[in-house]
PDB file of all heavy atoms in Angstrom:
ATOM      1  N   ALA Z   1       0.829  -1.206   0.000  1.00  0.00           N
ATOM      2  CA  ALA Z   1       0.000   0.000   0.000  1.00  0.00           C
ATOM      3  C   ALA Z   1       0.861   1.253   0.000  1.00  0.00           C
ATOM      4  O   ALA Z   1       0.593   2.209  -0.743  1.00  0.00           O
ATOM      5  CB  ALA Z   1      -0.936  -0.001   1.212  1.00  0.00           C
ATOM      6  N   ILE Z   2       1.919   1.249   0.792  1.00  0.00           N
ATOM      7  CA  ILE Z   2       2.835   2.398   0.828  1.00  0.00           C
ATOM      8  C   ILE Z   2       3.518   2.561  -0.524  1.00  0.00           C
ATOM      9  O   ILE Z   2       3.675   3.680  -1.030  1.00  0.00           O
ATOM     10  CB  ILE Z   2       3.873   2.226   1.961  1.00  0.00           C
ATOM     11  CG1 ILE Z   2       3.181   2.329   3.320  1.00  0.00           C
ATOM     12  CG2 ILE Z   2       4.995   3.264   1.834  1.00  0.00           C
ATOM     13  CD1 ILE Z   2       4.050   1.902   4.487  1.00  0.00           C
ATOM     14  N   GLU Z   3       3.913   1.452  -1.115  1.00  0.00           N
ATOM     15  CA  GLU Z   3       4.553   1.480  -2.429  1.00  0.00           C
ATOM     16  C   GLU Z   3       3.636   2.152  -3.456  1.00  0.00           C
ATOM     17  O   GLU Z   3       4.063   3.043  -4.192  1.00  0.00           O
ATOM     18  CB  GLU Z   3       4.876   0.045  -2.853  1.00  0.00           C
ATOM     19  CG  GLU Z   3       5.423  -0.085  -4.245  1.00  0.00           C
ATOM     20  CD  GLU Z   3       5.582  -1.536  -4.659  1.00  0.00           C
ATOM     21  OE1 GLU Z   3       4.852  -2.421  -4.149  1.00  0.00           O
ATOM     22  OE2 GLU Z   3       6.445  -1.787  -5.517  1.00  0.00           O
ATOM     23  N   GLU Z   4       2.386   1.733  -3.492  1.00  0.00           N
ATOM     24  CA  GLU Z   4       1.436   2.281  -4.466  1.00  0.00           C
ATOM     25  C   GLU Z   4       1.097   3.747  -4.187  1.00  0.00           C
ATOM     26  O   GLU Z   4       0.993   4.548  -5.111  1.00  0.00           O
ATOM     27  CB  GLU Z   4       0.147   1.452  -4.481  1.00  0.00           C
ATOM     28  CG  GLU Z   4       0.302   0.090  -5.114  1.00  0.00           C
ATOM     29  CD  GLU Z   4       0.714   0.162  -6.579  1.00  0.00           C
ATOM     30  OE1 GLU Z   4       0.203   1.015  -7.324  1.00  0.00           O
ATOM     31  OE2 GLU Z   4       1.563  -0.649  -6.979  1.00  0.00           O
ATOM     32  N   GLU Z   5       0.940   4.087  -2.923  1.00  0.00           N
ATOM     33  CA  GLU Z   5       0.508   5.433  -2.553  1.00  0.00           C
ATOM     34  C   GLU Z   5       1.627   6.461  -2.568  1.00  0.00           C
ATOM     35  O   GLU Z   5       1.388   7.629  -2.886  1.00  0.00           O
ATOM     36  CB  GLU Z   5      -0.129   5.415  -1.158  1.00  0.00           C
ATOM     37  CG  GLU Z   5      -1.422   4.648  -1.087  1.00  0.00           C
ATOM     38  CD  GLU Z   5      -1.894   4.432   0.345  1.00  0.00           C
ATOM     39  OE1 GLU Z   5      -1.430   5.163   1.258  1.00  0.00           O
ATOM     40  OE2 GLU Z   5      -2.717   3.523   0.556  1.00  0.00           O
ATOM     41  N   LYS Z   6       2.847   6.026  -2.218  1.00  0.00           N
ATOM     42  CA  LYS Z   6       3.919   7.006  -2.039  1.00  0.00           C
ATOM     43  C   LYS Z   6       5.154   6.778  -2.902  1.00  0.00           C
ATOM     44  O   LYS Z   6       5.698   7.717  -3.459  1.00  0.00           O
ATOM     45  CB  LYS Z   6       4.329   7.055  -0.569  1.00  0.00           C
ATOM     46  CG  LYS Z   6       3.203   7.515   0.324  1.00  0.00           C
ATOM     47  CD  LYS Z   6       3.632   7.672   1.748  1.00  0.00           C
ATOM     48  CE  LYS Z   6       2.426   8.171   2.551  1.00  0.00           C
ATOM     49  NZ  LYS Z   6       2.776   8.506   3.901  1.00  0.00           N
ATOM     50  N   VAL Z   7       5.600   5.528  -2.987  1.00  0.00           N
ATOM     51  CA  VAL Z   7       6.881   5.261  -3.651  1.00  0.00           C
ATOM     52  C   VAL Z   7       6.784   5.480  -5.163  1.00  0.00           C
ATOM     53  O   VAL Z   7       7.579   6.243  -5.734  1.00  0.00           O
ATOM     54  CB  VAL Z   7       7.389   3.843  -3.328  1.00  0.00           C
ATOM     55  CG1 VAL Z   7       8.661   3.542  -4.111  1.00  0.00           C
ATOM     56  CG2 VAL Z   7       7.638   3.708  -1.832  1.00  0.00           C
ATOM     57  N   TRP Z   8       5.822   4.813  -5.821  1.00  0.00           N
ATOM     58  CA  TRP Z   8       5.737   4.955  -7.277  1.00  0.00           C
ATOM     59  C   TRP Z   8       5.406   6.385  -7.698  1.00  0.00           C
ATOM     60  O   TRP Z   8       6.009   6.889  -8.657  1.00  0.00           O
ATOM     61  CB  TRP Z   8       4.771   3.939  -7.875  1.00  0.00           C
ATOM     62  CG  TRP Z   8       5.368   2.553  -7.863  1.00  0.00           C
ATOM     63  CD1 TRP Z   8       4.914   1.479  -7.183  1.00  0.00           C
ATOM     64  CD2 TRP Z   8       6.555   2.128  -8.531  1.00  0.00           C
ATOM     65  NE1 TRP Z   8       5.741   0.394  -7.381  1.00  0.00           N
ATOM     66  CE2 TRP Z   8       6.762   0.774  -8.215  1.00  0.00           C
ATOM     67  CE3 TRP Z   8       7.476   2.749  -9.357  1.00  0.00           C
ATOM     68  CZ2 TRP Z   8       7.832   0.039  -8.706  1.00  0.00           C
ATOM     69  CZ3 TRP Z   8       8.548   2.012  -9.854  1.00  0.00           C
ATOM     70  CH2 TRP Z   8       8.709   0.677  -9.522  1.00  0.00           C
ATOM     71  N   PRO Z   9       4.510   7.099  -6.999  1.00  0.00           N
ATOM     72  CA  PRO Z   9       4.291   8.504  -7.366  1.00  0.00           C
ATOM     73  C   PRO Z   9       5.557   9.359  -7.204  1.00  0.00           C
ATOM     74  O   PRO Z   9       5.827  10.242  -8.020  1.00  0.00           O
ATOM     75  CB  PRO Z   9       3.186   8.958  -6.419  1.00  0.00           C
ATOM     76  CG  PRO Z   9       2.423   7.711  -6.112  1.00  0.00           C
ATOM     77  CD  PRO Z   9       3.490   6.632  -6.054  1.00  0.00           C
ATOM     78  N   MET Z  10       6.358   9.087  -6.160  1.00  0.00           N
ATOM     79  CA  MET Z  10       7.598   9.830  -5.960  1.00  0.00           C
ATOM     80  C   MET Z  10       8.573   9.552  -7.108  1.00  0.00           C
ATOM     81  O   MET Z  10       9.180  10.470  -7.665  1.00  0.00           O
ATOM     82  CB  MET Z  10       8.240   9.446  -4.634  1.00  0.00           C
ATOM     83  CG  MET Z  10       9.574  10.136  -4.379  1.00  0.00           C
ATOM     84  SD  MET Z  10      10.461   9.447  -2.963  1.00  0.00           S
ATOM     85  CE  MET Z  10      10.873   7.816  -3.559  1.00  0.00           C
ATOM     86  N   ILE Z  11       8.707   8.270  -7.475  1.00  0.00           N
ATOM     87  CA  ILE Z  11       9.607   7.911  -8.573  1.00  0.00           C
ATOM     88  C   ILE Z  11       9.122   8.551  -9.870  1.00  0.00           C
ATOM     89  O   ILE Z  11       9.907   9.127 -10.626  1.00  0.00           O
ATOM     90  CB  ILE Z  11       9.715   6.377  -8.709  1.00  0.00           C
ATOM     91  CG1 ILE Z  11      10.446   5.798  -7.493  1.00  0.00           C
ATOM     92  CG2 ILE Z  11      10.421   5.981 -10.006  1.00  0.00           C
ATOM     93  CD1 ILE Z  11      10.419   4.282  -7.397  1.00  0.00           C
ATOM     94  N   ARG Z  12       7.830   8.477 -10.115  1.00  0.00           N
ATOM     95  CA  ARG Z  12       7.256   9.062 -11.332  1.00  0.00           C
ATOM     96  C   ARG Z  12       7.530  10.571 -11.391  1.00  0.00           C
ATOM     97  O   ARG Z  12       7.886  11.107 -12.439  1.00  0.00           O
ATOM     98  CB  ARG Z  12       5.754   8.769 -11.377  1.00  0.00           C
ATOM     99  CG  ARG Z  12       5.116   9.021 -12.716  1.00  0.00           C
ATOM    100  CD  ARG Z  12       3.675   8.531 -12.748  1.00  0.00           C
ATOM    101  NE  ARG Z  12       3.550   7.078 -12.705  1.00  0.00           N
ATOM    102  CZ  ARG Z  12       3.760   6.271 -13.742  1.00  0.00           C
ATOM    103  NH1 ARG Z  12       4.101   6.763 -14.908  1.00  0.00           N
ATOM    104  NH2 ARG Z  12       3.615   4.970 -13.625  1.00  0.00           N
ATOM    105  N   ALA Z  13       7.408  11.254 -10.262  1.00  0.00           N
ATOM    106  CA  ALA Z  13       7.658  12.696 -10.208  1.00  0.00           C
ATOM    107  C   ALA Z  13       9.135  13.014 -10.472  1.00  0.00           C
ATOM    108  O   ALA Z  13       9.454  14.027 -11.084  1.00  0.00           O
ATOM    109  CB  ALA Z  13       7.227  13.265  -8.857  1.00  0.00           C
ATOM    110  N   GLU Z  14      10.018  12.133 -10.011  1.00  0.00           N
ATOM    111  CA  GLU Z  14      11.454  12.370 -10.164  1.00  0.00           C
ATOM    112  C   GLU Z  14      11.970  12.058 -11.563  1.00  0.00           C
ATOM    113  O   GLU Z  14      12.778  12.803 -12.105  1.00  0.00           O
ATOM    114  CB  GLU Z  14      12.251  11.535  -9.142  1.00  0.00           C
ATOM    115  CG  GLU Z  14      12.179  12.046  -7.739  1.00  0.00           C
ATOM    116  CD  GLU Z  14      12.940  13.330  -7.540  1.00  0.00           C
ATOM    117  OE1 GLU Z  14      14.040  13.495  -8.116  1.00  0.00           O
ATOM    118  OE2 GLU Z  14      12.415  14.194  -6.815  1.00  0.00           O
ATOM    119  N   VAL Z  15      11.526  10.937 -12.137  1.00  0.00           N
ATOM    120  CA  VAL Z  15      12.128  10.496 -13.406  1.00  0.00           C
ATOM    121  C   VAL Z  15      11.178  10.549 -14.593  1.00  0.00           C
ATOM    122  O   VAL Z  15      11.599  10.342 -15.718  1.00  0.00           O
ATOM    123  CB  VAL Z  15      12.739   9.081 -13.290  1.00  0.00           C
ATOM    124  CG1 VAL Z  15      13.791   9.023 -12.202  1.00  0.00           C
ATOM    125  CG2 VAL Z  15      11.667   8.036 -13.061  1.00  0.00           C
ATOM    126  N   GLY Z  16       9.891  10.770 -14.333  1.00  0.00           N
ATOM    127  CA  GLY Z  16       8.936  10.885 -15.428  1.00  0.00           C
ATOM    128  C   GLY Z  16       8.226   9.582 -15.736  1.00  0.00           C
ATOM    129  O   GLY Z  16       8.585   8.511 -15.255  1.00  0.00           O
ATOM    130  N   ASP Z  17       7.191   9.728 -16.561  1.00  0.00           N
ATOM    131  CA  ASP Z  17       6.335   8.587 -16.885  1.00  0.00           C
ATOM    132  C   ASP Z  17       7.051   7.513 -17.695  1.00  0.00           C
ATOM    133  O   ASP Z  17       6.882   6.313 -17.437  1.00  0.00           O
ATOM    134  CB  ASP Z  17       5.100   9.057 -17.661  1.00  0.00           C
ATOM    135  CG  ASP Z  17       4.152   9.858 -16.790  1.00  0.00           C
ATOM    136  OD1 ASP Z  17       4.163   9.681 -15.556  1.00  0.00           O
ATOM    137  OD2 ASP Z  17       3.393  10.669 -17.347  1.00  0.00           O
ATOM    138  N   GLU Z  18       7.848   7.921 -18.659  1.00  0.00           N
ATOM    139  CA  GLU Z  18       8.468   6.945 -19.558  1.00  0.00           C
ATOM    140  C   GLU Z  18       9.378   5.973 -18.811  1.00  0.00           C
ATOM    141  O   GLU Z  18       9.265   4.750 -18.974  1.00  0.00           O
ATOM    142  CB  GLU Z  18       9.256   7.669 -20.651  1.00  0.00           C
ATOM    143  CG  GLU Z  18       9.824   6.729 -21.692  1.00  0.00           C
ATOM    144  CD  GLU Z  18      10.550   7.464 -22.824  1.00  0.00           C
ATOM    145  OE1 GLU Z  18      10.395   8.694 -22.976  1.00  0.00           O
ATOM    146  OE2 GLU Z  18      11.275   6.777 -23.552  1.00  0.00           O
ATOM    147  N   LEU Z  19      10.280   6.505 -17.977  1.00  0.00           N
ATOM    148  CA  LEU Z  19      11.188   5.628 -17.241  1.00  0.00           C
ATOM    149  C   LEU Z  19      10.450   4.818 -16.176  1.00  0.00           C
ATOM    150  O   LEU Z  19      10.754   3.640 -15.968  1.00  0.00           O
ATOM    151  CB  LEU Z  19      12.314   6.439 -16.596  1.00  0.00           C
ATOM    152  CG  LEU Z  19      13.374   6.959 -17.546  1.00  0.00           C
ATOM    153  CD1 LEU Z  19      14.361   7.846 -16.817  1.00  0.00           C
ATOM    154  CD2 LEU Z  19      14.104   5.807 -18.219  1.00  0.00           C
ATOM    155  N   THR Z  20       9.471   5.445 -15.519  1.00  0.00           N
ATOM    156  CA  THR Z  20       8.707   4.718 -14.505  1.00  0.00           C
ATOM    157  C   THR Z  20       7.945   3.562 -15.136  1.00  0.00           C
ATOM    158  O   THR Z  20       7.954   2.443 -14.613  1.00  0.00           O
ATOM    159  CB  THR Z  20       7.738   5.660 -13.767  1.00  0.00           C
ATOM    160  OG1 THR Z  20       8.490   6.738 -13.192  1.00  0.00           O
ATOM    161  CG2 THR Z  20       6.992   4.928 -12.664  1.00  0.00           C
ATOM    162  N   ASP Z  21       7.295   3.820 -16.266  1.00  0.00           N
ATOM    163  CA  ASP Z  21       6.560   2.754 -16.948  1.00  0.00           C
ATOM    164  C   ASP Z  21       7.493   1.644 -17.411  1.00  0.00           C
ATOM    165  O   ASP Z  21       7.155   0.456 -17.328  1.00  0.00           O
ATOM    166  CB  ASP Z  21       5.764   3.324 -18.121  1.00  0.00           C
ATOM    167  CG  ASP Z  21       4.628   4.232 -17.674  1.00  0.00           C
ATOM    168  OD1 ASP Z  21       4.222   4.161 -16.491  1.00  0.00           O
ATOM    169  OD2 ASP Z  21       4.145   5.022 -18.507  1.00  0.00           O
ATOM    170  N   ALA Z  22       8.688   2.013 -17.869  1.00  0.00           N
ATOM    171  CA  ALA Z  22       9.670   1.007 -18.291  1.00  0.00           C
ATOM    172  C   ALA Z  22      10.116   0.168 -17.098  1.00  0.00           C
ATOM    173  O   ALA Z  22      10.254  -1.062 -17.204  1.00  0.00           O
ATOM    174  CB  ALA Z  22      10.865   1.674 -18.957  1.00  0.00           C
ATOM    175  N   LEU Z  23      10.326   0.808 -15.970  1.00  0.00           N
ATOM    176  CA  LEU Z  23      10.722   0.083 -14.768  1.00  0.00           C
ATOM    177  C   LEU Z  23       9.619  -0.860 -14.306  1.00  0.00           C
ATOM    178  O   LEU Z  23       9.878  -2.027 -13.991  1.00  0.00           O
ATOM    179  CB  LEU Z  23      11.081   1.069 -13.646  1.00  0.00           C
ATOM    180  CG  LEU Z  23      11.445   0.461 -12.299  1.00  0.00           C
ATOM    181  CD1 LEU Z  23      12.621  -0.496 -12.419  1.00  0.00           C
ATOM    182  CD2 LEU Z  23      11.752   1.560 -11.299  1.00  0.00           C
ATOM    183  N   LEU Z  24       8.393  -0.373 -14.288  1.00  0.00           N
ATOM    184  CA  LEU Z  24       7.273  -1.224 -13.891  1.00  0.00           C
ATOM    185  C   LEU Z  24       7.110  -2.410 -14.844  1.00  0.00           C
ATOM    186  O   LEU Z  24       6.816  -3.530 -14.409  1.00  0.00           O
ATOM    187  CB  LEU Z  24       5.986  -0.410 -13.813  1.00  0.00           C
ATOM    188  CG  LEU Z  24       5.899   0.554 -12.628  1.00  0.00           C
ATOM    189  CD1 LEU Z  24       4.725   1.508 -12.796  1.00  0.00           C
ATOM    190  CD2 LEU Z  24       5.809  -0.204 -11.325  1.00  0.00           C
ATOM    191  N   ALA Z  25       7.329  -2.184 -16.123  1.00  0.00           N
ATOM    192  CA  ALA Z  25       7.255  -3.271 -17.100  1.00  0.00           C
ATOM    193  C   ALA Z  25       8.359  -4.300 -16.836  1.00  0.00           C
ATOM    194  O   ALA Z  25       8.126  -5.510 -16.930  1.00  0.00           O
ATOM    195  CB  ALA Z  25       7.355  -2.729 -18.522  1.00  0.00           C
ATOM    196  N   ALA Z  26       9.550  -3.818 -16.493  1.00  0.00           N
ATOM    197  CA  ALA Z  26      10.653  -4.733 -16.186  1.00  0.00           C
ATOM    198  C   ALA Z  26      10.353  -5.536 -14.927  1.00  0.00           C
ATOM    199  O   ALA Z  26      10.665  -6.734 -14.856  1.00  0.00           O
ATOM    200  CB  ALA Z  26      11.953  -3.946 -16.027  1.00  0.00           C
ATOM    201  N   VAL Z  27       9.739  -4.903 -13.940  1.00  0.00           N
ATOM    202  CA  VAL Z  27       9.357  -5.608 -12.715  1.00  0.00           C
ATOM    203  C   VAL Z  27       8.339  -6.698 -13.045  1.00  0.00           C
ATOM    204  O   VAL Z  27       8.463  -7.842 -12.595  1.00  0.00           O
ATOM    205  CB  VAL Z  27       8.797  -4.625 -11.660  1.00  0.00           C
ATOM    206  CG1 VAL Z  27       8.133  -5.363 -10.511  1.00  0.00           C
ATOM    207  CG2 VAL Z  27       9.904  -3.716 -11.142  1.00  0.00           C
ATOM    208  N   ASP Z  28       7.339  -6.360 -13.848  1.00  0.00           N
ATOM    209  CA  ASP Z  28       6.336  -7.348 -14.243  1.00  0.00           C
ATOM    210  C   ASP Z  28       6.973  -8.513 -14.998  1.00  0.00           C
ATOM    211  O   ASP Z  28       6.621  -9.676 -14.792  1.00  0.00           O
ATOM    212  CB  ASP Z  28       5.244  -6.704 -15.100  1.00  0.00           C
ATOM    213  CG  ASP Z  28       4.324  -5.811 -14.287  1.00  0.00           C
ATOM    214  OD1 ASP Z  28       4.292  -5.942 -13.041  1.00  0.00           O
ATOM    215  OD2 ASP Z  28       3.637  -4.969 -14.903  1.00  0.00           O
ATOM    216  N   CYS Z  29       7.917  -8.201 -15.864  1.00  0.00           N
ATOM    217  CA  CYS Z  29       8.617  -9.233 -16.634  1.00  0.00           C
ATOM    218  C   CYS Z  29       9.394 -10.155 -15.698  1.00  0.00           C
ATOM    219  O   CYS Z  29       9.356 -11.379 -15.847  1.00  0.00           O
ATOM    220  CB  CYS Z  29       9.549  -8.563 -17.641  1.00  0.00           C
ATOM    221  SG  CYS Z  29      10.445  -9.716 -18.687  1.00  0.00           S
ATOM    222  N   ALA Z  30      10.092  -9.581 -14.725  1.00  0.00           N
ATOM    223  CA  ALA Z  30      10.853 -10.391 -13.771  1.00  0.00           C
ATOM    224  C   ALA Z  30       9.928 -11.251 -12.926  1.00  0.00           C
ATOM    225  O   ALA Z  30      10.223 -12.416 -12.656  1.00  0.00           O
ATOM    226  CB  ALA Z  30      11.705  -9.484 -12.880  1.00  0.00           C
ATOM    227  N   LYS Z  31       8.791 -10.684 -12.517  1.00  0.00           N
ATOM    228  CA  LYS Z  31       7.820 -11.472 -11.737  1.00  0.00           C
ATOM    229  C   LYS Z  31       7.351 -12.673 -12.540  1.00  0.00           C
ATOM    230  O   LYS Z  31       7.274 -13.787 -12.019  1.00  0.00           O
ATOM    231  CB  LYS Z  31       6.625 -10.600 -11.359  1.00  0.00           C
ATOM    232  CG  LYS Z  31       6.897  -9.617 -10.254  1.00  0.00           C
ATOM    233  CD  LYS Z  31       5.632  -8.777  -9.991  1.00  0.00           C
ATOM    234  CE  LYS Z  31       5.816  -7.810  -8.874  1.00  0.00           C
ATOM    235  NZ  LYS Z  31       4.602  -7.016  -8.610  1.00  0.00           N
ATOM    236  N   ALA Z  32       7.041 -12.443 -13.808  1.00  0.00           N
ATOM    237  CA  ALA Z  32       6.574 -13.542 -14.658  1.00  0.00           C
ATOM    238  C   ALA Z  32       7.665 -14.578 -14.868  1.00  0.00           C
ATOM    239  O   ALA Z  32       7.431 -15.787 -14.803  1.00  0.00           O
ATOM    240  CB  ALA Z  32       6.095 -13.003 -16.011  1.00  0.00           C
ATOM    241  N   LYS Z  33       8.890 -14.106 -15.084  1.00  0.00           N
ATOM    242  CA  LYS Z  33      10.005 -15.018 -15.359  1.00  0.00           C
ATOM    243  C   LYS Z  33      10.296 -15.916 -14.159  1.00  0.00           C
ATOM    244  O   LYS Z  33      10.606 -17.093 -14.318  1.00  0.00           O
ATOM    245  CB  LYS Z  33      11.256 -14.215 -15.716  1.00  0.00           C
ATOM    246  CG  LYS Z  33      12.467 -15.076 -16.011  1.00  0.00           C
ATOM    247  CD  LYS Z  33      13.654 -14.256 -16.451  1.00  0.00           C
ATOM    248  CE  LYS Z  33      14.837 -15.151 -16.748  1.00  0.00           C
ATOM    249  NZ  LYS Z  33      16.004 -14.402 -17.192  1.00  0.00           N
ATOM    250  N   TYR Z  34      10.188 -15.345 -12.949  1.00  0.00           N
ATOM    251  CA  TYR Z  34      10.561 -16.115 -11.755  1.00  0.00           C
ATOM    252  C   TYR Z  34       9.360 -16.638 -10.982  1.00  0.00           C
ATOM    253  O   TYR Z  34       9.497 -17.125  -9.868  1.00  0.00           O
ATOM    254  CB  TYR Z  34      11.483 -15.274 -10.859  1.00  0.00           C
ATOM    255  CG  TYR Z  34      12.794 -15.014 -11.547  1.00  0.00           C
ATOM    256  CD1 TYR Z  34      13.074 -13.764 -12.089  1.00  0.00           C
ATOM    257  CD2 TYR Z  34      13.733 -16.021 -11.705  1.00  0.00           C
ATOM    258  CE1 TYR Z  34      14.263 -13.524 -12.753  1.00  0.00           C
ATOM    259  CE2 TYR Z  34      14.931 -15.791 -12.362  1.00  0.00           C
ATOM    260  CZ  TYR Z  34      15.188 -14.537 -12.878  1.00  0.00           C
ATOM    261  OH  TYR Z  34      16.368 -14.318 -13.536  1.00  0.00           O
ATOM    262  N   GLY Z  35       8.175 -16.563 -11.572  1.00  0.00           N
ATOM    263  CA  GLY Z  35       7.003 -17.168 -10.976  1.00  0.00           C
ATOM    264  C   GLY Z  35       6.447 -16.477  -9.758  1.00  0.00           C
ATOM    265  O   GLY Z  35       5.818 -17.100  -8.920  1.00  0.00           O
ATOM    266  N   TYR Z  36       6.690 -15.179  -9.637  1.00  0.00           N
ATOM    267  CA  TYR Z  36       6.176 -14.434  -8.499  1.00  0.00           C
ATOM    268  C   TYR Z  36       4.686 -14.199  -8.684  1.00  0.00           C
ATOM    269  O   TYR Z  36       4.249 -13.715  -9.721  1.00  0.00           O
ATOM    270  CB  TYR Z  36       6.912 -13.093  -8.360  1.00  0.00           C
ATOM    271  CG  TYR Z  36       6.376 -12.234  -7.251  1.00  0.00           C
ATOM    272  CD1 TYR Z  36       6.686 -12.524  -5.927  1.00  0.00           C
ATOM    273  CD2 TYR Z  36       5.557 -11.146  -7.519  1.00  0.00           C
ATOM    274  CE1 TYR Z  36       6.189 -11.727  -4.908  1.00  0.00           C
ATOM    275  CE2 TYR Z  36       5.062 -10.355  -6.493  1.00  0.00           C
ATOM    276  CZ  TYR Z  36       5.380 -10.663  -5.211  1.00  0.00           C
ATOM    277  OH  TYR Z  36       4.899  -9.890  -4.188  1.00  0.00           O
ATOM    278  N   GLU Z  37       3.906 -14.545  -7.687  1.00  0.00           N
ATOM    279  CA  GLU Z  37       2.466 -14.431  -7.819  1.00  0.00           C
ATOM    280  C   GLU Z  37       1.863 -13.416  -6.859  1.00  0.00           C
ATOM    281  O   GLU Z  37       0.659 -13.324  -6.740  1.00  0.00           O
ATOM    282  CB  GLU Z  37       1.819 -15.798  -7.593  1.00  0.00           C
ATOM    283  CG  GLU Z  37       2.249 -16.820  -8.623  1.00  0.00           C
ATOM    284  CD  GLU Z  37       1.677 -18.196  -8.342  1.00  0.00           C
ATOM    285  OE1 GLU Z  37       0.707 -18.295  -7.590  1.00  0.00           O
ATOM    286  OE2 GLU Z  37       2.227 -19.162  -8.886  1.00  0.00           O
ATOM    287  N   GLY Z  38       2.694 -12.662  -6.140  1.00  0.00           N
ATOM    288  CA  GLY Z  38       2.172 -11.740  -5.129  1.00  0.00           C
ATOM    289  C   GLY Z  38       1.664 -10.450  -5.698  1.00  0.00           C
ATOM    290  O   GLY Z  38       1.613 -10.171  -6.831  1.00  0.00           O
TER     291      GLY Z  38
END
């Protein structure tokens, strides 16, 4: 909840939408690759 409410908005404000979206996509890719279901 803290991540969604505070961390990602802070990162988005610092680096912009393009890099944040790329990072989130990479996280999703890693979750899929390593079977993370959380």
Side-chain angles (χ1 to χ4, degrees):
I2 292 168
E3 175 186 27
E4 288 298 319
E5 294 169 19
K6 297 185 179 187
V7 176
W8 287 116
M10 177 191 68
I11 292 171
R12 194 172 291 283
E14 286 289 321
V15 302
D17 290 335
E18 185 177 345
L19 286 175
T20 303
D21 292 342
L23 177 58
L24 288 169
V27 168
D28 288 342
C29 181
K31 285 179 178 181
K33 180 176 181 179
Y34 294 105
Y36 177 76
E37 297 176 18

